[in-house]
Structure formats: structure tokens, C-alpha cells
Amino acid sequence: MALEKHRNILDYTLQSLLKRKLKNIGIIMVFTLVIFTASSVIFLSYSLRQEARLLLKDSPEIIVQKMRAGRHELISTLIMTEIGQIPGVSGVEPRYWGYYYDSGVKANYTILGIGASGTEKNRVLSGRMPSRHEKNIAAIGRGIAEARVIKKDLGSVLYLQAADGKWMNFNITGVFESDSEIMTADLIVISEDDFKTLVGMPDDAATDLAVHVSNEAETPTIAKKIKERFPDSRPILRDEIIRTYDAVFGWRSGLIIALFMGALIAFIILAWDKATGLSAEEKQEIGILKAIGWETSDVLEMKFWEGLVISLASFMCGIILAYIHIFFTGASLLAPALKGWSVIYPEFRLTPFIDFYQIAILMSLTIVPYIASTIIPSWKASITDPDTVMRG
Amino acid sequence: MIKTENVTKYFNRGKPDEVLAVNDATIEIKKGDFAVFKGPSGSGKTTLLSLIGCMSRPTSGRVIVGDRDVSRLPERFMTEVRRNIFGFIFQQFHLIKGITVCDNVMLPLYPVGIKPSKLRESAALILNNLGMSKRIDFPVQRLSGGEQQRTAIARALINNPDVILADEPTAHLDTQISEEFLTIMRNLQQQGKTIVIATHDPLVYEKDYVNLIIEMRDGRVREIMKN
């Protein structure tokens, strides 16, 4: 019997919502836009952070760079042996990487030289990577192929100008697939030897050193020891990089939220408008319902369902659209603001990571106030004598 | 059945627009009566009707329905009395637009918790008795005035009330439809229901089956005539 009562009231609520189709569709559209925007930002920034964390999971615990006058400089590989002798260090290897500005397309590329360990192997590569000493071979990201208008087919040739002014040509033996574009869109992988020739790097130098430690808890101590032994070095901990990523994406999320403050304000005005009064028609309807035998609690239940149906429908629409936008269309609307500053924007598909805690907060900050703004004015009308409400 | 004792009702009391709508009204309506509150506009008959129908509370005095003083009942019990004892027919009909005739009729019983199929059955039976069977699934806003009134009557009858209260029911109807309405009310009275109508239409209060006329003016009960 009690269940039938709620079903009947819900049934009437749905009919009541359909009566004011246009108004309710308008509310749902504004509400959906707000949820879509906020949840898109949440999905994207959280996924990027998670991607970054996953990416960094396999990265070395410490990266050692050489600093001169506060500026990053090439580091000597001769100190590798000494670092390797520090207790707790399980391995040290040189890394070769740098940026290449292509004035033709006004884009920065990331160039990586394949070292001895070959850890840069990527399982989302179509074709193959160059080996450590292989000359004039490259694996490239799709973004580079598009920027340079070269065929993505294996066997095409990429030309880069070396430090000595001569042009170097690279046969493309591998292209990174789109699933990895967050990491590889602007990436060119060549051999260690070619890298050194391209950037004019001495044989005993590297861009930085990757230091692996046996016990992660000892990382800060080892970093401290490296700094003591090599005062001109800068050991960077993996955790520091993760924190930097978090801060960067957190800041950018805030920026997007600020840009969409207009939509949020529209929503607040809408909620405020609802909370401050009922239309004459709505008041009269409450008066009629009370006069024919509905209790205050019945009217409030109806208004609760009304608020819940509209806010939940909008919330679900907003969340689903945001999910499609972020994880199926590569965040096409937000990407330029959130993904970076490169000319070559990666067109990647993010792995769907959802922060349910943030979604729950968003839910409580939108659905709950909306339901409250629907119920409060109705409560005022429904505790008044039906005769007074119907007289207006 | 229904009594008021020295009932007074103010609107906006203590404010510049204070109105004394009913002043010291004492009346008694017995079960099975066909009672009419008669008087010009602003005489207080609609307010007195809403006071005895538990739609508002008196400023002072008592309203007794059955053996119960309902004037100070908590809101929830007022609703219960309203739902179980009274059926209302309003001057403007006050049907909910945008929904069908049947849905309007079923509305008072939605919170009772009856299955929709049973509700529909009851509504269809009443509408059929009122000659509205072909209009069951019509949106109410497309009905004629007479049909709207019959829908309002059906809604007032769905909870099988003991008392039917009607406020100016013939105000917007032509003579023929008004007569039809009064015939329906007369039949309900003969079935044992108490009818109370607020009106200034002679067509209503001149009927010989009206056995109680309460004449009101300026909020006061001026004369009570019993047949």
C-alpha cells in the first residue's frame, strides 16, 4: 500500500513535469551543461594525472641533472661509476633526450636517443625501434608525421638539421600508435649515436642520468648523498615529478572551471529563482492538491521527486556526455587548454579513470541544492491553509 | 453533523489590509441536509464554506464536524478530515490542466495508496454515472464548461465523502447545465449525502428540496431559514 502511494505520487510527478515540457527541458539543458563542463574537467585532469602516474611508475626513482648557474647542462657519464657505488643504488644509466624546434612548422619535437638498456621500447609501436648504434633510422609519433606532412608508412624519410648545420635523413621504421599519443605524439626516437651527432653531444656526455635504487624508502637519502658528492648536480625524485604533474593539472582544471563560471552562475541564478518563489500556477496547484486531500508530506514528496528527476536526469546526461567527450573524442573541447602548449597536440584516447570521490562531491553540490531549491518554496506553500494559497 | 460556534475569521489581521470575512457565525447543518449559504459577493459565504471544510482555520470560535472540534486540529488531521469527509467543487473548478479527466478524478486518492488500475476503475464508474465516459482520456483544458464541472464533481465524489461542498457552482454555467448540476446534487442528497452550496444564484436556493438557507451579509449570519 505504501509502495503504491509513492508510485502514484511519482506517476503524477512525471505527468506534472511533462505539463511544463519547455521550461523543464530548458532547466535540464542548463543543468546538463554545468555538469558536463565540471565533470569533463574532472575526468580529463584526473585521467591525465593517472596517466602521468602510470607513466612515471616505471621511471627511475632519481634523475640526476647537471646544473650550471641554475641551468640544466649536459652531464658527464664518467660519474656514473661513482654514483653506482653509493650503497642502495642498483643501477645507473645515461639518458639522451632533447627538444628540436622545427621552424618550418613552428613546432617543438621531443627527440630521444636509444641507449644501452633499450628501456624506451614501446609496445604500442607499429614497426620497430632503432637500436643503440643503428644509423639513420627513426621511430616517430603520428603528430610529427602530420606536422611534417610525411607518410605514416614505414620507409618514408624524415630530414632534421644537425648541430653542424648539415641535414640528416632518417628512414622511418616505426610509428607510434594513437593509443600512446599522450607520450609519443611529438616524439622522435633515434639511436644514441645519431642523437649525439644531431645535437653535437660529446661521447662522454648524456642529457641526464637515471638512477635506480633497491629500496624506494632510501631514495631521499641517496639523492642527498649524490648532491653531497656532486654539488653541481640536481637529483630529481620521481615523487617530486608526480607532485608537479598534480599541481599543473590542478591549476589548469581551476582555469577551466573559472572559464565556465558563467554557466555555473547561470545555474546558481536558476536555483535561486526556484528557491525564492513559485509561480501563481504552481502555488494554485499545491492549494488544489491540499484541498482535495493531499498532506504536506505528499506535496513535498512530489516536489522531491520533481527535483530528483530533473537533477538526476541532467546529472546523468552531463556525466555520460562528459565521458564520451573525454574518453571517446579525446577531450576535443578542452584539450587545448588542458593538455599542453605544444603545436602538436596529441590526439590520444585516455584510459577511463574516474575519481568517484570528486563525482560524489559534484553530485552533492548540484543535486542536493537543486532539490532543496525545489522543496523549500513548496514547503512554504503547503503549510499554508489551502484556502489562502488558492486565493493567491 | 456540522456546527460552527461563534466563528470569526480575519484575513491579514493587524495589517492595513485587514478583512473581517466571517463575524461570529453560529450555524448547524444536519446529516442529509441540502444547505445553501446565500448572499452577495463579499458576504463571507465562501470563507464560511472553507472553514467548515477544514480548508482554513477560524481566528476564533469552534468548527465541529461530527463530534470533533476541527478548528484546532494539527494540519495532518485536518487533511485527514478533508480527505475522508468532504468533497469540494470549486467555483473555477480548479482542475489540473495538462492531465486527463481520469487523472484529475483519481488525484485525491493518489496518496492513499490504491493500485492505479483500481483507481481508474473507480474513476471510470463515477465518470460513467455522470455521462462522461467518452471523455475519460481527454485533457481537461479541452472540455466544455459543463464537462469541466462534471469532472470536478467526479473528483469530489471519488473518495465517497459524506459532505459535498460547492462554491458558486453555477456561476459560469448556463441555465440548462446549472439544472443538470442541481439534479446531480439532488440525487446525491437522496443517496444520503449532505450538500452545502455557497451561491447567490436564485436558481439554486429557490429549489424546493433546499431545506436549509443560511443568509449572510457583511460576514454575519443574517437569517437561517429551514424548510
PDB file of all heavy atoms in Angstrom, chain B residues 93-118:
ATOM      1  N   PHE B  93     -13.682  25.500 -10.793  1.00  0.00           N
ATOM      2  CA  PHE B  93     -13.464  24.046 -10.952  1.00  0.00           C
ATOM      3  C   PHE B  93     -12.097  23.603 -10.416  1.00  0.00           C
ATOM      4  O   PHE B  93     -11.970  22.540  -9.863  1.00  0.00           O
ATOM      5  CB  PHE B  93     -13.636  23.576 -12.404  1.00  0.00           C
ATOM      6  CG  PHE B  93     -14.887  24.095 -13.059  1.00  0.00           C
ATOM      7  CD1 PHE B  93     -14.852  24.662 -14.323  1.00  0.00           C
ATOM      8  CD2 PHE B  93     -16.109  24.044 -12.406  1.00  0.00           C
ATOM      9  CE1 PHE B  93     -15.997  25.158 -14.914  1.00  0.00           C
ATOM     10  CE2 PHE B  93     -17.268  24.533 -12.991  1.00  0.00           C
ATOM     11  CZ  PHE B  93     -17.217  25.105 -14.253  1.00  0.00           C
ATOM     12  N   HIS B  94     -11.073  24.433 -10.656  1.00  0.00           N
ATOM     13  CA  HIS B  94      -9.712  24.118 -10.192  1.00  0.00           C
ATOM     14  C   HIS B  94      -9.270  22.718 -10.580  1.00  0.00           C
ATOM     15  O   HIS B  94      -8.763  21.960  -9.754  1.00  0.00           O
ATOM     16  CB  HIS B  94      -9.608  24.303  -8.671  1.00  0.00           C
ATOM     17  CG  HIS B  94      -9.554  25.736  -8.257  1.00  0.00           C
ATOM     18  ND1 HIS B  94      -8.926  26.714  -8.982  1.00  0.00           N
ATOM     19  CD2 HIS B  94     -10.080  26.371  -7.168  1.00  0.00           C
ATOM     20  CE1 HIS B  94      -9.047  27.869  -8.374  1.00  0.00           C
ATOM     21  NE2 HIS B  94      -9.753  27.693  -7.285  1.00  0.00           N
ATOM     22  N   LEU B  95      -9.443  22.406 -11.850  1.00  0.00           N
ATOM     23  CA  LEU B  95      -8.905  21.136 -12.344  1.00  0.00           C
ATOM     24  C   LEU B  95      -7.432  21.382 -12.685  1.00  0.00           C
ATOM     25  O   LEU B  95      -7.039  22.515 -12.963  1.00  0.00           O
ATOM     26  CB  LEU B  95      -9.673  20.684 -13.586  1.00  0.00           C
ATOM     27  CG  LEU B  95     -11.165  20.437 -13.354  1.00  0.00           C
ATOM     28  CD1 LEU B  95     -11.875  20.184 -14.683  1.00  0.00           C
ATOM     29  CD2 LEU B  95     -11.387  19.244 -12.416  1.00  0.00           C
ATOM     30  N   ILE B  96      -6.645  20.309 -12.660  1.00  0.00           N
ATOM     31  CA  ILE B  96      -5.221  20.461 -13.000  1.00  0.00           C
ATOM     32  C   ILE B  96      -5.097  20.329 -14.515  1.00  0.00           C
ATOM     33  O   ILE B  96      -5.369  19.265 -15.078  1.00  0.00           O
ATOM     34  CB  ILE B  96      -4.363  19.390 -12.297  1.00  0.00           C
ATOM     35  CG1 ILE B  96      -4.617  19.381 -10.789  1.00  0.00           C
ATOM     36  CG2 ILE B  96      -2.888  19.565 -12.637  1.00  0.00           C
ATOM     37  CD1 ILE B  96      -3.908  20.395  -9.964  1.00  0.00           C
ATOM     38  N   LYS B  97      -4.679  21.414 -15.125  1.00  0.00           N
ATOM     39  CA  LYS B  97      -4.554  21.402 -16.592  1.00  0.00           C
ATOM     40  C   LYS B  97      -3.353  20.578 -17.024  1.00  0.00           C
ATOM     41  O   LYS B  97      -2.389  20.442 -16.287  1.00  0.00           O
ATOM     42  CB  LYS B  97      -4.401  22.834 -17.098  1.00  0.00           C
ATOM     43  CG  LYS B  97      -5.654  23.654 -16.904  1.00  0.00           C
ATOM     44  CD  LYS B  97      -5.538  24.985 -17.629  1.00  0.00           C
ATOM     45  CE  LYS B  97      -6.788  25.802 -17.413  1.00  0.00           C
ATOM     46  NZ  LYS B  97      -6.680  26.796 -16.365  1.00  0.00           N
ATOM     47  N   GLY B  98      -3.456  20.047 -18.240  1.00  0.00           N
ATOM     48  CA  GLY B  98      -2.325  19.291 -18.793  1.00  0.00           C
ATOM     49  C   GLY B  98      -2.405  17.807 -18.517  1.00  0.00           C
ATOM     50  O   GLY B  98      -1.599  17.036 -19.029  1.00  0.00           O
ATOM     51  N   ILE B  99      -3.354  17.409 -17.679  1.00  0.00           N
ATOM     52  CA  ILE B  99      -3.551  15.965 -17.458  1.00  0.00           C
ATOM     53  C   ILE B  99      -4.996  15.606 -17.832  1.00  0.00           C
ATOM     54  O   ILE B  99      -5.833  16.493 -18.042  1.00  0.00           O
ATOM     55  CB  ILE B  99      -3.192  15.518 -16.016  1.00  0.00           C
ATOM     56  CG1 ILE B  99      -4.055  16.220 -14.983  1.00  0.00           C
ATOM     57  CG2 ILE B  99      -1.727  15.755 -15.734  1.00  0.00           C
ATOM     58  CD1 ILE B  99      -3.844  15.701 -13.558  1.00  0.00           C
ATOM     59  N   THR B 100      -5.278  14.336 -17.890  1.00  0.00           N
ATOM     60  CA  THR B 100      -6.578  13.907 -18.417  1.00  0.00           C
ATOM     61  C   THR B 100      -7.685  14.027 -17.363  1.00  0.00           C
ATOM     62  O   THR B 100      -7.429  14.234 -16.177  1.00  0.00           O
ATOM     63  CB  THR B 100      -6.522  12.441 -18.880  1.00  0.00           C
ATOM     64  OG1 THR B 100      -6.313  11.628 -17.725  1.00  0.00           O
ATOM     65  CG2 THR B 100      -5.421  12.201 -19.898  1.00  0.00           C
ATOM     66  N   VAL B 101      -8.898  13.846 -17.846  1.00  0.00           N
ATOM     67  CA  VAL B 101     -10.076  13.848 -16.976  1.00  0.00           C
ATOM     68  C   VAL B 101      -9.906  12.775 -15.889  1.00  0.00           C
ATOM     69  O   VAL B 101     -10.084  13.035 -14.698  1.00  0.00           O
ATOM     70  CB  VAL B 101     -11.340  13.559 -17.834  1.00  0.00           C
ATOM     71  CG1 VAL B 101     -12.547  13.260 -16.950  1.00  0.00           C
ATOM     72  CG2 VAL B 101     -11.622  14.740 -18.758  1.00  0.00           C
ATOM     73  N   CYS B 102      -9.553  11.582 -16.328  1.00  0.00           N
ATOM     74  CA  CYS B 102      -9.428  10.461 -15.398  1.00  0.00           C
ATOM     75  C   CYS B 102      -8.366  10.747 -14.329  1.00  0.00           C
ATOM     76  O   CYS B 102      -8.593  10.506 -13.134  1.00  0.00           O
ATOM     77  CB  CYS B 102      -9.072   9.200 -16.175  1.00  0.00           C
ATOM     78  SG  CYS B 102      -9.182   7.731 -15.177  1.00  0.00           S
ATOM     79  N   ASP B 103      -7.206  11.288 -14.767  1.00  0.00           N
ATOM     80  CA  ASP B 103      -6.142  11.583 -13.806  1.00  0.00           C
ATOM     81  C   ASP B 103      -6.590  12.628 -12.786  1.00  0.00           C
ATOM     82  O   ASP B 103      -6.263  12.541 -11.602  1.00  0.00           O
ATOM     83  CB  ASP B 103      -4.881  12.065 -14.532  1.00  0.00           C
ATOM     84  CG  ASP B 103      -4.192  10.931 -15.278  1.00  0.00           C
ATOM     85  OD1 ASP B 103      -4.238   9.804 -14.768  1.00  0.00           O
ATOM     86  OD2 ASP B 103      -3.642  11.173 -16.368  1.00  0.00           O
ATOM     87  N   ASN B 104      -7.349  13.621 -13.260  1.00  0.00           N
ATOM     88  CA  ASN B 104      -7.867  14.637 -12.336  1.00  0.00           C
ATOM     89  C   ASN B 104      -8.786  14.019 -11.294  1.00  0.00           C
ATOM     90  O   ASN B 104      -8.739  14.373 -10.121  1.00  0.00           O
ATOM     91  CB  ASN B 104      -8.625  15.716 -13.116  1.00  0.00           C
ATOM     92  CG  ASN B 104      -7.760  16.925 -13.404  1.00  0.00           C
ATOM     93  OD1 ASN B 104      -7.491  17.724 -12.511  1.00  0.00           O
ATOM     94  ND2 ASN B 104      -7.285  17.032 -14.643  1.00  0.00           N
ATOM     95  N   VAL B 105      -9.601  13.094 -11.760  1.00  0.00           N
ATOM     96  CA  VAL B 105     -10.576  12.475 -10.851  1.00  0.00           C
ATOM     97  C   VAL B 105      -9.857  11.591  -9.817  1.00  0.00           C
ATOM     98  O   VAL B 105     -10.234  11.542  -8.652  1.00  0.00           O
ATOM     99  CB  VAL B 105     -11.626  11.671 -11.665  1.00  0.00           C
ATOM    100  CG1 VAL B 105     -12.565  10.904 -10.746  1.00  0.00           C
ATOM    101  CG2 VAL B 105     -12.419  12.616 -12.563  1.00  0.00           C
ATOM    102  N   MET B 106      -8.806  10.903 -10.268  1.00  0.00           N
ATOM    103  CA  MET B 106      -8.094   9.978  -9.367  1.00  0.00           C
ATOM    104  C   MET B 106      -7.219  10.697  -8.337  1.00  0.00           C
ATOM    105  O   MET B 106      -6.821  10.119  -7.334  1.00  0.00           O
ATOM    106  CB  MET B 106      -7.201   9.029 -10.191  1.00  0.00           C
ATOM    107  CG  MET B 106      -7.972   8.115 -11.116  1.00  0.00           C
ATOM    108  SD  MET B 106      -6.939   6.820 -11.844  1.00  0.00           S
ATOM    109  CE  MET B 106      -5.721   7.714 -12.749  1.00  0.00           C
ATOM    110  N   LEU B 107      -6.903  11.958  -8.642  1.00  0.00           N
ATOM    111  CA  LEU B 107      -5.913  12.719  -7.860  1.00  0.00           C
ATOM    112  C   LEU B 107      -6.096  12.671  -6.332  1.00  0.00           C
ATOM    113  O   LEU B 107      -5.117  12.455  -5.608  1.00  0.00           O
ATOM    114  CB  LEU B 107      -5.916  14.173  -8.361  1.00  0.00           C
ATOM    115  CG  LEU B 107      -4.618  14.950  -8.369  1.00  0.00           C
ATOM    116  CD1 LEU B 107      -3.473  14.151  -8.918  1.00  0.00           C
ATOM    117  CD2 LEU B 107      -4.808  16.235  -9.158  1.00  0.00           C
ATOM    118  N   PRO B 108      -7.316  12.831  -5.808  1.00  0.00           N
ATOM    119  CA  PRO B 108      -7.443  12.830  -4.335  1.00  0.00           C
ATOM    120  C   PRO B 108      -7.005  11.513  -3.697  1.00  0.00           C
ATOM    121  O   PRO B 108      -6.596  11.497  -2.538  1.00  0.00           O
ATOM    122  CB  PRO B 108      -8.950  13.046  -4.114  1.00  0.00           C
ATOM    123  CG  PRO B 108      -9.434  13.693  -5.360  1.00  0.00           C
ATOM    124  CD  PRO B 108      -8.600  13.134  -6.468  1.00  0.00           C
ATOM    125  N   LEU B 109      -7.066  10.426  -4.460  1.00  0.00           N
ATOM    126  CA  LEU B 109      -6.745   9.131  -3.856  1.00  0.00           C
ATOM    127  C   LEU B 109      -5.303   8.673  -4.120  1.00  0.00           C
ATOM    128  O   LEU B 109      -4.904   7.616  -3.650  1.00  0.00           O
ATOM    129  CB  LEU B 109      -7.727   8.058  -4.347  1.00  0.00           C
ATOM    130  CG  LEU B 109      -9.167   8.238  -3.866  1.00  0.00           C
ATOM    131  CD1 LEU B 109     -10.033   7.074  -4.323  1.00  0.00           C
ATOM    132  CD2 LEU B 109      -9.237   8.336  -2.349  1.00  0.00           C
ATOM    133  N   TYR B 110      -4.547   9.442  -4.872  1.00  0.00           N
ATOM    134  CA  TYR B 110      -3.142   9.054  -5.121  1.00  0.00           C
ATOM    135  C   TYR B 110      -2.377   8.786  -3.825  1.00  0.00           C
ATOM    136  O   TYR B 110      -1.693   7.777  -3.708  1.00  0.00           O
ATOM    137  CB  TYR B 110      -2.424  10.137  -5.932  1.00  0.00           C
ATOM    138  CG  TYR B 110      -2.572  10.019  -7.440  1.00  0.00           C
ATOM    139  CD1 TYR B 110      -2.198  11.061  -8.266  1.00  0.00           C
ATOM    140  CD2 TYR B 110      -3.079   8.863  -8.037  1.00  0.00           C
ATOM    141  CE1 TYR B 110      -2.329  10.976  -9.643  1.00  0.00           C
ATOM    142  CE2 TYR B 110      -3.215   8.774  -9.412  1.00  0.00           C
ATOM    143  CZ  TYR B 110      -2.833   9.838 -10.210  1.00  0.00           C
ATOM    144  OH  TYR B 110      -2.968   9.741 -11.568  1.00  0.00           O
ATOM    145  N   PRO B 111      -2.470   9.685  -2.827  1.00  0.00           N
ATOM    146  CA  PRO B 111      -1.660   9.433  -1.625  1.00  0.00           C
ATOM    147  C   PRO B 111      -2.229   8.343  -0.718  1.00  0.00           C
ATOM    148  O   PRO B 111      -1.630   8.018   0.297  1.00  0.00           O
ATOM    149  CB  PRO B 111      -1.696  10.793  -0.890  1.00  0.00           C
ATOM    150  CG  PRO B 111      -2.299  11.759  -1.819  1.00  0.00           C
ATOM    151  CD  PRO B 111      -3.150  10.992  -2.760  1.00  0.00           C
ATOM    152  N   VAL B 112      -3.393   7.826  -1.058  1.00  0.00           N
ATOM    153  CA  VAL B 112      -3.993   6.797  -0.198  1.00  0.00           C
ATOM    154  C   VAL B 112      -3.290   5.453  -0.414  1.00  0.00           C
ATOM    155  O   VAL B 112      -3.228   4.615   0.490  1.00  0.00           O
ATOM    156  CB  VAL B 112      -5.519   6.697  -0.459  1.00  0.00           C
ATOM    157  CG1 VAL B 112      -6.154   5.587   0.352  1.00  0.00           C
ATOM    158  CG2 VAL B 112      -6.179   8.024  -0.132  1.00  0.00           C
ATOM    159  N   GLY B 113      -2.753   5.252  -1.597  1.00  0.00           N
ATOM    160  CA  GLY B 113      -2.009   4.023  -1.869  1.00  0.00           C
ATOM    161  C   GLY B 113      -2.852   2.925  -2.483  1.00  0.00           C
ATOM    162  O   GLY B 113      -2.701   1.754  -2.146  1.00  0.00           O
ATOM    163  N   ILE B 114      -3.749   3.319  -3.360  1.00  0.00           N
ATOM    164  CA  ILE B 114      -4.567   2.319  -4.067  1.00  0.00           C
ATOM    165  C   ILE B 114      -3.917   2.066  -5.425  1.00  0.00           C
ATOM    166  O   ILE B 114      -3.369   2.988  -6.031  1.00  0.00           O
ATOM    167  CB  ILE B 114      -6.017   2.835  -4.255  1.00  0.00           C
ATOM    168  CG1 ILE B 114      -6.634   3.112  -2.879  1.00  0.00           C
ATOM    169  CG2 ILE B 114      -6.861   1.848  -5.044  1.00  0.00           C
ATOM    170  CD1 ILE B 114      -7.965   3.819  -2.920  1.00  0.00           C
ATOM    171  N   LYS B 115      -4.007   0.824  -5.884  1.00  0.00           N
ATOM    172  CA  LYS B 115      -3.397   0.484  -7.173  1.00  0.00           C
ATOM    173  C   LYS B 115      -3.989   1.345  -8.291  1.00  0.00           C
ATOM    174  O   LYS B 115      -5.203   1.551  -8.324  1.00  0.00           O
ATOM    175  CB  LYS B 115      -3.675  -0.981  -7.503  1.00  0.00           C
ATOM    176  CG  LYS B 115      -2.687  -1.922  -6.891  1.00  0.00           C
ATOM    177  CD  LYS B 115      -2.897  -3.304  -7.431  1.00  0.00           C
ATOM    178  CE  LYS B 115      -1.846  -4.228  -6.858  1.00  0.00           C
ATOM    179  NZ  LYS B 115      -2.008  -5.582  -7.285  1.00  0.00           N
ATOM    180  N   PRO B 116      -3.175   1.791  -9.229  1.00  0.00           N
ATOM    181  CA  PRO B 116      -3.679   2.643 -10.312  1.00  0.00           C
ATOM    182  C   PRO B 116      -4.842   1.998 -11.079  1.00  0.00           C
ATOM    183  O   PRO B 116      -5.788   2.685 -11.465  1.00  0.00           O
ATOM    184  CB  PRO B 116      -2.460   2.834 -11.206  1.00  0.00           C
ATOM    185  CG  PRO B 116      -1.296   2.627 -10.324  1.00  0.00           C
ATOM    186  CD  PRO B 116      -1.716   1.644  -9.292  1.00  0.00           C
ATOM    187  N   SER B 117      -4.781   0.681 -11.262  1.00  0.00           N
ATOM    188  CA  SER B 117      -5.858   0.015 -12.029  1.00  0.00           C
ATOM    189  C   SER B 117      -7.196   0.127 -11.285  1.00  0.00           C
ATOM    190  O   SER B 117      -8.235   0.392 -11.883  1.00  0.00           O
ATOM    191  CB  SER B 117      -5.499  -1.439 -12.278  1.00  0.00           C
ATOM    192  OG  SER B 117      -5.272  -2.081 -11.055  1.00  0.00           O
ATOM    193  N   LYS B 118      -7.147  -0.015  -9.955  1.00  0.00           N
ATOM    194  CA  LYS B 118      -8.381   0.096  -9.153  1.00  0.00           C
ATOM    195  C   LYS B 118      -8.879   1.540  -9.141  1.00  0.00           C
ATOM    196  O   LYS B 118     -10.088   1.792  -9.203  1.00  0.00           O
ATOM    197  CB  LYS B 118      -8.109  -0.352  -7.714  1.00  0.00           C
ATOM    198  CG  LYS B 118      -7.841  -1.820  -7.569  1.00  0.00           C
ATOM    199  CD  LYS B 118      -8.756  -2.440  -6.560  1.00  0.00           C
ATOM    200  CE  LYS B 118      -8.691  -3.943  -6.744  1.00  0.00           C
ATOM    201  NZ  LYS B 118      -9.270  -4.671  -5.676  1.00  0.00           N
TER     202      LYS B 118
END
